[in-house]
C-alpha cells in the first residue's frame, strides 16, 4: 500500500494558524429576512446626507433639522436629546424633526426650545409652544421652507434607522454660508446618533453535525479612522443556551471593552477587557475576510452562522441576542465563558507581571480576582514546589530570596523562575507552568539591621546602640569596578555625620565589616556604627542614611533610607530633654503636689474647728 498523500494547502494554512477556506463551502451568507436572531446598533456621527452653515447667526433662532428615514418599523421609540453648549439656553433654538409614523421622546434642559415635528411625542417630551410641522415632500423643499421661515439653517442631518440622537446646540462662524447637503457627511461637531443595523446575514451548513451558533461582528475600519477603542454591551435571554460563540474581528490595534453576563464563548482579535476584570488581555489573530471568519466558526464546531454583521468602526455597539430555535435549551444563567486558548494562563500572568525583584529577593503579589478568566486556581508555587504562595480572601503572596525556590540568575540583570498554577476542575487536578523573568533594578540598595547576623532589616535607629548597615548592588558588567564612595547620617538640627568615605570608616564608633563574596555580579558592603547624642542635646525624631556608590568613570548611584530614631534609655515623652531637666521636672511636680495637699488639709482642718466652736 503506497503512502497516503496529504493536501498541501490545508497543511500550510494550519501551520500559519489560518482556517481552511474550504470549511466555509456550502455556507452562502444571505440576508436574514425572517425573525432576526439579534438586534444590533452602533454609535456614529456620520450621516447619509448632511450639512452645516452660519446663515442663522444673524437671525432670531438657530435652526436644526433632522430628517429620519426607516428601512422598517422601529422596534422602540426614537430618543432625541438636545443639549446646549456650556449649559446655556440663552439663544432660542428650533428643532425640526420629520419622522413620519414614528414615536419619539425629546428631552432638553432648554425650556425655550421650539419643536416642529410630525412624530407622535411621548408624555416625557418637553412641552413648549410647538407649531405645526412643514408640509414638504423633498429635501430641497424642506431646506427652502426653513430658510424662508427662519432666515437661516444651522444644521441639516438625514438619519437612517436611528435609535437615539444626541444633538448639541450652538453655531459656528467658520461654517459655510449656505447649507448644501453632502453624502456621508461627518456631523461630529454637533450630532451623535446610535443607529440600527439591518444588514444582518446568516447561513448554516447542510451537513451540520452541531447545533452550535456563531455571531460574527466584523469591523470595517477606514484607514483614516482614529477609533481604536470600542465599548460592546451584550445582552441575551436568561435561559439562553451555552453553545453559542461571539467572534469579534477588528484591527490588531483595537481594544474591546466588553460588558456582558451572557453564557456565550468569545473569540476576540486585538485586545480586550471585561467589566469585572480591569486588566487588558491579548486576543488572538483572526482572519479578516468573510469566508475565513465563517471557516473559523466551523473550525470551532459552530455550524450555524446565526448572524454576520459587517459594520463601520464605532466607539459603542449594543448587541441583543434573541432566542434561536436551533440553539434553544433551558439552562440556568452563568457568567460569561471565555473560550480559553491553551496559553491563557501565560497571557494573563505575563500581562499582570505580578513579580518584583530587588538585588536579593523576589516578591509575588497577585490579586485573586485578576485570575478570574483562568478559573479554578487553588494554589500557586514557584519552580521549587515547597515555595507556596500564602493566600487570603483577596491575594496570593509569596516572597523568597533569589538564592532559593529554584530561581536562576543566568540572564543579565534578570532572575528566572516559573509560576506553577494548580487548577482543580471536576475533581481533576492539573498544573500549568508559566516561565517568567524578573528584572533586577540596576540601583543601590540600603538596609539597616539590629544585629551582626544581618537578618530582618528594619528602619528604627536606636541611640547608643550599634546599628549594622548593608549596601548592595548588582552590576553584571564589571562588579569589581563598583566602589562604595561615602555614607552620611543626616538629622534635623544636627551636623551631618560622615560614616564612610572611600571604603574607610570615618568618625568614632564606625567600623568596616567584611561582606559576603561577590556572586552573579552582586557586590555587598557592610559596616557598623553607633549613633550617640551628647547629654542635654536635642534628640531628633527621624534621620536619613544616605550612601553613594560609583564606578571609576564617575557614574554615581545614590540611595536614601529614612529612619525613625529611638531612645531606649529615656521615656519618649521627654525626647529632646536632658537627664537633669527630666529629674528637675519630676521633683518640681512632686513638690507642687505636696504643697497643694498641705494647703487643702489646712483649709479642711480650720473649717472643722470653726464649725465646732459655733455649736
Amino acid at each position: 500500500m503506497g503512502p497516503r498523500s496529504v493536501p498541501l494547502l490545508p497543511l500550510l494554512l494550519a501551520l500559519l494558524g489560518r482556517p481552511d477556506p474550504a470549511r466555509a463551502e456550502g455556507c452562502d451568507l444571505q440576508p436574514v429576512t425572517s425573525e432576526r436572531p439579534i438586534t444590533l446598533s452602533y454609535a456614529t456621527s456620520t450621516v447619509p446626507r448632511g450639512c452645516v452653515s452660519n446663515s442663522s447667526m444673524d437671525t432670531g433662532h438657530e435652526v436644526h433639522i433632522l430628517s429620519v428615514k426607516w428601512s422598517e418599523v422601529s422596534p422602540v421609540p426614537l430618543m432625541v436629546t438636545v443639549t446646549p453648549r456650556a449649559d446655556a439656553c440663552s439663544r432660542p433654538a428650533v428643532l425640526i424633526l420629520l419622522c413620519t409614523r414614528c414615536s419619539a421622546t425629546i428631552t432638553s434642559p432648554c425650556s425655550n426650545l421650539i419643536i416642529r415635528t410630525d412624530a407622535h411625542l411621548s408624555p416625557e417630551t418637553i412641552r413648549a409652544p410647538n407649531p405645526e410641522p412643514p408640509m414638504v415632500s423633498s429635501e430641497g423643499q424642506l431646506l427652502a421652507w426653513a430658510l424662508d421661515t427662519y432666515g437661516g439653517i444651522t444644521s441639516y442631518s438625514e438619519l437612517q434607522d436611528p435609535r437615539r440622537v444626541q444633538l448639541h446646540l450652538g453655531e459656528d462662524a467658520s461654517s459655510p454660508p449656505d447649507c448644501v447637503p453632502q453624502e456621508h457627511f461627518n456631523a461630529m461637531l454637533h450630532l451623535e446618533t446610535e443607529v440600527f443595523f439591518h444588514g444582518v446575514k446568516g447561513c448554516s451548513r447542510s451537513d451540520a453535525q452541531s447545533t452550535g451558533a456563531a455571531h460574527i461582528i466584523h469591523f470595517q475600519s477606514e484607514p483614516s479612522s482614529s477609533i481604536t477603542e470600542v465599548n460592546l454591551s451584550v445582552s441575551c435571554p436568561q435561559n439562553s443556551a451555552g453553545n453559542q460563540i461571539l467572534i469579534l474581528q477588528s484591527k490588531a490595534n483595537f481594544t474591546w471593552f466588553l460588558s456582558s453576563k451572557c453564557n456565550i464563548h468569545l473569540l476576540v482579535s486585538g485586545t480586550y477587557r471585561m467589566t469585572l476584570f480591569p486588566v487588558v488581555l491579548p486576543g488572538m489573530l483572526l482572519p479578516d475576510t468573510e469566508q475565513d471568519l465563517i471557516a473559523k466558526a466551523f473550525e470551532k464546531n459552530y455550524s450555524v452562522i446565526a448572524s454576520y454583521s459587517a459594520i463601520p468602526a464605532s466607539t459603542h455597539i449594543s448587541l441583543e441576542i434573541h432566542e434561536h430555535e436551533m440553539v434553544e435549551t433551558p439552562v440556568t444563567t452563568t457568567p460569561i465563558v471565555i473560550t480559553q486558548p491553551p496559553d491563557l494562563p501565560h497571557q494573563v500572568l505575563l500581562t499582570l507581571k505580578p513579580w518584583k525583584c530587588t538585588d536579593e529577593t523576589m516578591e509575588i503579589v497577585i490579586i485573586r480576582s485578576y485570575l478570574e478568566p483562568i478559573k479554578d486556581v487553588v494554589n500557586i508555587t514557584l519552580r521549587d514546589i515547597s515555595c507556596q504562595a500564602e493566600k487570603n480572601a483577596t491575594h496570593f503572596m509569596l516572597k523568597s530570596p533569589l538564592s532559593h525556590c529554584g530561581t536562576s540568575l543566568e540572564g543579565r540583570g534578570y532572575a528566572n523562575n516559573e509560576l506553577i498554577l494548580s487548577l482543580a476542575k471536576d475533581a481533576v487536578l492539573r498544573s500549568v507552568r508559566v516561565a517568567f523573568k524578573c528584572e533586577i533594578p540596576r540601583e543601590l540598595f540600603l538596609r539597616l539591621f539590629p544585629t551582626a547576623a544581618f537578618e530582618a532589616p528594619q528602619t528604627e535607629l536606636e541611640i547608643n546602640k550599634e546599628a549594622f548597615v548593608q549596601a548592595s548592588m548588582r552590576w553584571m558588567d564589571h562588579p569589581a569596578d563598583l566602589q562604595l564612595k561615602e555614607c552620611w547620617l543626616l538629622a534635623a538640627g544636627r551636623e551631618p555625620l560622615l560614616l564612610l568615605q572611600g571604603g574607610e570608616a570615618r568618625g568614632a564608633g564606625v567600623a568596616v565589616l567584611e561582606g559576603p563574596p561577590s556572586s552573579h555580579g552582586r557586590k555587598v558592603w557592610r559596616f557598623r556604627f553607633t549613633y550617640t547624642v551628647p547629654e542635654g542635646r536635642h534628640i531628633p525624631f527621624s534621620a536619613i542614611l544616605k550612601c553613594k556608590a560609583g564606578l571609576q568613570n564617575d557614574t554615581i548611584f545614590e540611595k536614601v533610607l529614612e529612619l525613625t530614631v529611638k531612645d531606649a534609655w529615656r521615656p519618649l515623652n521627654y525626647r529632646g530633654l536632658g537627664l537633669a531637666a527630666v529629674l528637675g521636672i519630676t521633683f518640681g511636680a512632686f513638690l507642687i503636689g505636696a504643697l497643694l495637699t498641705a494647703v487643702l488639709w489646712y483649709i479642711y482642718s480650720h473649717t472643722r474647728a470653726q464649725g465646732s466652736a459655733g455649736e
Side-chain angles (χ1 to χ4, degrees):
M1 190 174 181
R4 187 178 63 177
S5 62
V6 178
L8 182 58
L9 180 58
L11 179 61
L12 289 174
L13 291 171
L15 291 173
L16 293 172
R18 293 181 57 189
D20 182 1
R23 289 179 177 270
E25 291 179 0
C27 180
D28 183 19
L29 285 177
Q30 295 294 327
V32 179
T33 55
S34 58
E35 185 177 352
R36 285 198 176 90
I38 64 168
T39 298
L40 178 66
S41 58
Y42 62 91
T44 181
S45 289
T46 300
V47 297
R49 287 177 62 80
C51 59
V52 293
S53 80
N54 62 15
S55 59
S56 64
M57 294 192 70
D58 295 329
T59 67
H61 305 80
E62 57 178 280
V63 180
H64 299 271
I65 306 172
L66 301 178
S67 178
V68 178
K69 301 185 183 302
W70 300 101
S71 303
E72 55 189 62
V73 178
S74 174
V76 294
L78 173 63
M79 302 291 295
V80 180
T81 304
V82 181
T83 57
R85 299 278 174 89
D87 299 325
C89 298
S90 55
R91 179 161 164 75
V94 178
L95 171 63
I96 302 169
L97 172 64
L98 295 189
C99 185
T100 308
R101 296 187 303 278
C102 84
S103 298
T105 299
I106 303 174
T107 60
S108 175
C110 299
S111 58
N112 58 351
L113 176 68
I114 299 172
I115 301 172
R116 304 189 75 151
T117 181
D118 57 355
H120 175 71
L121 297 180
S122 69
E124 292 83 10
T125 296
I126 57 175
R127 292 298 172 183
N130 298 318
E132 291 295 319
M135 302 299 293
V136 295
S137 59
S138 68
E139 178 186 271
Q141 289 180 3
L142 174 61
L143 297 178
W145 173 88
L147 277 173
D148 184 58
T149 305
Y150 294 104
I153 299 172
T154 310
S155 74
Y156 166 74
S157 302
E158 179 185 296
L159 305 174
Q160 184 72 42
D161 300 316
R163 183 175 193 166
R164 297 183 184 88
V165 179
Q166 177 89 39
L167 177 66
H168 302 285
L169 298 179
E171 297 162 297
D172 187 354
S174 63
S175 296
D178 300 311
C179 195
V180 180
Q182 302 173 22
E183 300 283 337
H184 303 294
F185 182 70
N186 185 352
M188 182 184 297
L189 295 179
H190 70 276
L191 183 138
E192 299 165 6
T193 181
E194 183 179 346
V195 298
F196 288 106
F197 178 74
H198 293 312
V200 179
K201 299 179 183 179
C203 72
S204 61
R205 291 176 61 176
S206 56
D207 60 343
Q209 300 295 317
S210 166
T211 58
H215 299 278
I216 302 173
I217 296 179
H218 190 178
F219 250 30
Q220 308 288 303
S221 182
E222 296 291 334
S224 59
S225 173
S226 60
I227 298 174
T228 57
E229 295 181 352
V230 55
N231 289 277
L232 171 62
S233 58
V234 184
S235 62
C236 50
Q238 289 188 352
N239 62 337
S240 59
N243 56 342
Q244 298 187 76
I245 190 170
L246 177 59
I247 299 175
L248 306 174
Q249 202 286 339
S250 66
K251 287 183 177 180
N253 66 338
F254 262 68
T255 299
W256 298 79
F257 296 90
L258 305 178
S259 172
S260 170
K261 293 183 180 178
C262 293
N263 182 22
I264 190 168
H265 297 270
L266 289 176
L267 280 181
V268 186
S269 60
T271 58
Y272 64 100
R273 192 171 80 178
M274 311 295 295
T275 305
L276 300 176
F277 187 64
V279 174
V280 177
L281 296 172
M284 63 185 302
L285 184 63
L286 293 177
D288 59 359
T289 66
E290 181 179 288
Q291 287 298 102
D292 284 347
L293 286 169
I294 294 170
K296 190 69 175 179
F298 290 165
E299 179 185 281
K300 296 294 182 180
N301 204 29
Y302 294 89
S303 56
V304 178
I305 307 300
S307 68
Y308 180 94
S309 308
I311 63 175
S314 171
T315 57
H316 179 80
I317 303 173
S318 176
L319 173 65
E320 301 169 33
I321 300 175
H322 309 309
E323 276 297 358
H324 194 275
E325 291 180 357
M326 303 187 69
V327 295
E328 186 176 292
T329 16
V331 294
T332 56
T333 303
T334 57
I336 192 164
V337 177
I338 298 175
T339 301
Q340 291 191 10
D343 61 346
L344 182 62
H346 297 74
Q347 293 178 358
V348 172
L349 289 172
L350 294 177
T351 300
L352 292 175
K353 290 184 172 61
W355 41 81
K356 182 179 180 180
C357 286
T358 69
D359 66 327
E360 66 175 7
T361 61
M362 174 186 292
E363 186 172 359
I364 313 284
V365 178
I366 307 175
I367 298 175
R368 295 183 69 168
S369 62
Y370 286 5
L371 300 178
E372 192 64 30
I374 301 176
K375 306 288 185 187
D376 311 309
V377 179
V378 294
N379 192 28
I380 298 177
T381 72
L382 288 174
R383 184 179 287 141
D384 181 347
I385 60 173
S386 65
C387 299
Q388 293 194 26
E390 297 179 7
K391 62 181 178 179
N392 56 28
T394 57
H395 290 78
F396 283 99
M397 296 168 290
L398 191 153
K399 189 171 183 178
S400 161
L402 295 183
S403 56
H404 292 63
C405 298
T407 302
S408 65
L409 300 170
E410 298 169 2
R412 295 176 63 85
Y414 289 91
N416 303 291
N417 208 314
E418 291 179 320
L419 281 176
I420 303 176
L421 279 63
S422 297
L423 312 178
K425 186 175 183 180
D426 301 327
V428 177
L429 187 66
R430 69 184 183 95
S431 62
V432 176
R433 292 176 174 264
V434 179
F436 67 90
K437 295 195 300 183
C438 180
E439 184 177 6
I440 302 171
R442 183 176 282 195
E443 64 181 67
L444 183 65
F445 289 90
L446 278 183
R447 298 177 181 89
L448 184 77
F449 298 89
T451 68
F454 287 91
E455 296 174 348
Q458 62 181 32
T459 56
E460 273 192 352
L461 176 62
E462 195 167 329
I463 292 177
N464 297 323
K465 186 177 179 181
E466 279 189 330
F468 297 83
V469 178
Q470 175 176 291
S472 58
M473 184 173 178
R474 288 189 186 270
W475 188 268
M476 301 300 295
D477 299 326
H478 300 285
D481 294 343
L482 268 178
Q483 301 294 329
L484 188 61
K485 299 288 189 180
E486 59 186 35
C487 286
W488 295 79
L489 188 69
L490 310 173
R494 308 232 19 220
E495 289 292 326
L497 182 61
L498 180 60
L499 303 174
L500 206 73
Q501 190 174 46
E504 296 182 357
R506 292 286 187 267
V510 183
V512 176
L513 305 176
E514 186 176 349
S518 298
S519 63
H520 297 287
R522 182 174 183 246
K523 195 162 184 179
V524 180
W525 303 271
R526 288 176 173 175
F527 66 92
R528 59 175 171 80
F529 73 98
T530 302
Y531 183 45
T532 59
V533 176
E535 189 68 34
R537 297 291 297 275
H538 169 72
I539 300 176
F541 285 96
S542 62
I544 291 176
L545 180 63
K546 180 178 179 181
C547 291
K548 293 182 180 180
L551 301 170
Q552 293 178 353
N553 62 2
D554 292 331
T555 301
I556 298 296
F557 301 92
E558 185 176 295
K559 190 73 171 185
V560 169
L561 182 63
E562 296 182 357
L563 305 172
T564 301
V565 178
K566 178 182 176 183
D567 184 3
W569 303 103
R570 301 168 193 177
L572 291 178
N573 290 345
Y574 300 123
R575 185 172 289 185
L577 299 176
L579 181 59
V582 173
L583 292 176
I585 291 172
T586 304
F587 179 73
F590 169 76
L591 187 58
I592 291 170
L595 290 172
L596 183 59
T597 302
V599 169
L600 290 173
W601 177 253
Y602 175 81
I603 294 171
Y604 173 73
S605 59
H606 278 66
T607 303
R608 281 181 58 87
Q610 291 175 3
S612 299
E615 293 176 1

